Amino acid sequence: MNILVNAEPRDITSVTLAEALTELGFHSPAIATAINGQFVARDARPTTPLAEGDRLEVLAPMQGG
Amino acid sequence: MQFYGTDIASRLLLGTAQYPSPAILAEAIHACGTQIVTVSLRRETAQGSGAGFWDMLRDTGARVLPNTAGCHSAQEAITTAHMAREIFGTNWIKLEVIGHSDTLQPDVFALVDAARELTNEGFAVFPYTTDDLVVGERLLDAGCEVLMPWGAPIGSGQGLRTPDALRAMRAHFPDTPLIVDAGIGRPSDAAQAMELGMDAVLLNTAVARAGDPAAMARGMALAIEAGRLGHTADPMERRDMAVPSTPILGLAELG
């Protein structure tokens, strides 16, 4: 299925968010996720399904003012 | 001084962006003794760059204040706040909702909406706002216990554009911690903010873009301490005319 990962089109086989993060190579524990602008908590990733066209954002700590 | 029930000794809050290197950022944090540093969230790369930064920051011992920088709507800011709470393990959030891309002026209407919802969800909100008193009242009504008025546009280094408005804010909110956030360029700007009775100063670019960030961080900390002492020591009134400070009594006639 085709989804957008941090605005980049990706073709994945995973059906849940947790599986997709592993498939996409996001192994850091210091990440947070949102699908279509809605926050998805870490505990909910294994039970959160992905759908064609979903916009997945994977964010990490960064310098800020 | 307390922010949301937490005792804080250092009145300097430091941003972590734009430093020449992570090592220089760490030097600046140590040089000024700040206990609160601001951080943000950005898209993770496949290399996992975010984790290294977070590890370095934890080693400094400073408490983190995540921001919602770059958000232009209440919903974006709320989602970002939730993501930040999970990653950084704190309910503190520096709430920014930007109204203009060029001036980075806060959208105070969306700010109040976002502050209310986040407070209801258990966040301790530090709102980046203007010096408008009515907006300040609305933010307190929404549950904020701290206000962060701007001194000048973010990153401009102009110093305090409207010191009289900040003085009015101090008088209007005598018991609310006020943190000047944005616009500080030099130590004298920070000292002025403290002399006006602000409780603390949040700055980033002025230190990060200085030729010697660690030295500037130390200079800012000293200026903030000096300004705070100046405020609490009750400064003299200005006079229109000169008044000799050396006694006239006993002056010799030598002419």
Side-chain angles (χ1 to χ4, degrees), chain A residues 42 57-58 60 62-65, chain B residues 16 40 42-44 67 86:
Chain A
R42 185 178 285 121
E57 292 283 347
V58 182
M62 201 61 60
Q63 294 84 347
Chain B
T16 58
S40 71
R42 287 294 179 266
R43 285 170 170 162
E44 175 70 317
N67 69 28
E86 183 176 81

Side-chain angles (χ1 to χ4, degrees), chain B residues 14-247:
Chain B
L14 191 65
T16 58
Q18 306 181 72
Y19 290 80
S21 71
I24 292 175
L25 165 60
E27 282 177 27
I29 291 171
H30 290 302
C32 68
T34 184
Q35 295 171 286
I36 301 172
V37 293
T38 55
V39 293
S40 71
L41 292 178
R42 287 294 179 266
R43 285 170 170 162
E44 175 70 317
T45 63
Q47 293 77 35
S49 59
F53 168 68
W54 180 216
D55 288 342
M56 184 280 284
L57 215 51
R58 266 188 296 211
D59 289 342
T60 69
R63 175 184 282 267
V64 295
L65 175 59
N67 69 28
T68 62
C71 292
H72 286 255
S73 71
Q75 186 53 50
E76 281 180 293
I78 290 165
T79 299
T80 302
H82 280 106
M83 298 174 87
R85 180 163 66 178
E86 183 176 81
I87 285 190
F88 295 110
T90 176
N91 66 339
W92 284 19
I93 191 76
K94 173 183 164 179
L95 184 60
E96 291 182 44
V97 186
I98 299 301
H100 280 159
S101 296
D102 50 354
T103 64
L104 300 181
Q105 181 164 347
D107 177 341
V108 295
F109 305 97
L111 180 70
V112 171
D113 290 342
R116 184 179 298 108
E117 178 154 347
L118 288 171
T119 298
N120 289 339
E121 293 173 8
F123 284 89
V125 177
F126 294 66
Y128 162 64
T129 183
T130 67
D131 50 36
D132 189 285
L133 299 181
V134 179
V135 173
E137 287 177 350
R138 295 288 187 276
L139 287 167
L140 297 190
D141 290 345
C144 295
E145 297 179 15
V146 172
L147 297 174
M148 299 209 298
W150 63 353
I154 293 171
S156 69
Q158 293 177 5
L160 306 183
R161 272 183 165 182
T162 53
D164 288 340
L166 292 173
R167 187 179 290 112
M169 207 168 180
R170 176 71 290 166
H172 198 71
F173 302 108
D175 302 319
T176 302
L178 300 179
I179 305 170
V180 166
D181 176 11
I184 299 294
R186 293 155 192 272
S188 52
D189 303 328
Q192 184 189 17
M194 298 306 294
E195 285 181 19
L196 290 171
M198 299 296 108
D199 294 281
V201 171
L202 198 171
L203 54 88
N204 186 159
T205 310
V207 166
R209 290 300 192 204
D212 184 340
M216 185 60 81
R218 179 80 180 131
M220 288 292 185
L222 292 171
I224 287 166
E225 192 176 343
R228 175 67 185 172
L229 283 169
H231 174 72
T232 55
D234 189 16
M236 66 171 281
E237 294 299 320
R238 288 181 192 273
R239 296 161 170 165
D240 291 334
M241 301 296 290
V243 178
S245 49
T246 302

